Amino acid sequence: MSEADTLLVGPGIRRRRRALELTLAEVARRAGLSVPFLSQIENGRSRPSMGSLQRIADALDTTAVQLMATAQAPRPVDVVRGTSASVRESGADGDGRMRPLVRGHQRLHALEFTGDHDWGREFRHRNDEILYVADGSAEVEADGDFYRLERGDTLYCAGGLVHRWRPIEPGTRVLVVGIADHVQVMDEQSG
């Protein structure tokens, strides 16, 4: 993987932090991270795990997906290669990875999850979501009901419903796509 393929979320984190007029120390305290580690992330010298990125997003009153979406400028046409950068999933036992499939867009979120996924983590989003099983099989709990999805199956989940999912077999790949109904626009001029 080349340096250009590395998922650099630092500049987006720095822009968001400055737009909120927060110090590095304040965001680090809120996120439960050290100031040097957060500084390294902002300067592109370190990549956070998905868990650390989510804690930073919480501290900045946004989401990890929003921070990843602003890592690069949107392009009218963009190809995301299968070898593009991914981040380790927090809570995943072993090889759980997540990577954005769309870059630079704040209204469309498309992510690919491979390997393990934290079954204990429940989600509730404002936006509708689609889960598509590209390989393997997955179990989904949505609004109290359980669904087994096989390769090629899709599950739609309306915004606001509590849901969670996990892979059932090794090699499972799940694509999650969501369209935001309202997006906080990050200040691109700050920084």
Side-chain angles (χ1 to χ4, degrees):
M1 177 183 323
S2 74
E3 188 64 30
D5 291 332
T6 302
L7 183 62
L8 296 176
V9 295
I13 291 170
R14 182 183 306 112
R15 282 190 300 273
R16 177 72 178 169
R17 177 179 62 78
R18 289 180 176 171
L20 294 173
E21 298 179 355
L22 295 172
T23 65
L24 199 62
E26 178 63 18
V27 173
R29 184 189 64 74
R30 288 180 182 184
L33 301 171
S34 72
V35 173
F37 180 57
L38 184 57
S39 177
Q40 288 177 348
I41 292 169
E42 281 195 2
N43 291 308
R45 291 191 305 269
S46 186
R47 288 190 337 197
S49 69
M50 195 60 191
S52 294
L53 185 59
Q54 185 58 57
R55 290 198 313 269
I56 293 167
D58 290 344
L60 294 172
D61 194 30
T62 189
T63 67
V65 172
Q66 286 297 121
L67 291 174
M68 288 187 295
T70 60
Q72 296 179 336
R75 301 173 190 132
V77 175
D78 188 22
V79 174
V80 178
R81 300 288 178 198
T83 57
S84 66
S86 63
V87 293
R88 185 177 53 81
E89 264 230 274
S90 65
D93 300 325
D95 67 345
R97 308 288 299 174
M98 189 277 307
R99 72 182 180 101
L101 299 176
V102 175
R103 300 180 289 197
H105 296 276
Q106 295 184 33
R107 289 190 45 83
L108 174 65
H109 306 145
L111 308 169
E112 176 187 59
F113 293 87
T114 55
D116 294 326
H117 183 73
D118 184 8
W119 177 248
R121 185 172 177 205
E122 291 184 334
F123 299 92
R124 174 182 267 156
H125 312 289
R126 288 188 317 209
N127 53 302
D128 296 350
E129 243 179 28
I130 294 174
L131 282 77
Y132 172 76
V133 178
D135 288 308
S137 59
E139 180 180 27
V140 180
E141 180 184 11
D143 202 26
D145 292 320
F146 290 85
Y147 305 89
R148 182 181 174 109
L149 303 178
E150 302 293 335
R151 183 175 189 253
D153 290 347
T154 300
L155 179 132
Y156 165 80
C157 186
L161 293 181
V162 174
H163 59 284
R164 63 185 178 153
W165 65 271
R166 67 177 168 191
I168 296 174
E169 61 186 82
T172 296
R173 283 189 316 135
V174 176
L175 309 180
V176 178
V177 179
I179 305 226
D181 56 349
H182 172 70
V183 175
Q184 287 182 322
V185 177
M186 293 185 166
D187 183 2
E188 296 292 330
Q189 303 305 315
S190 300

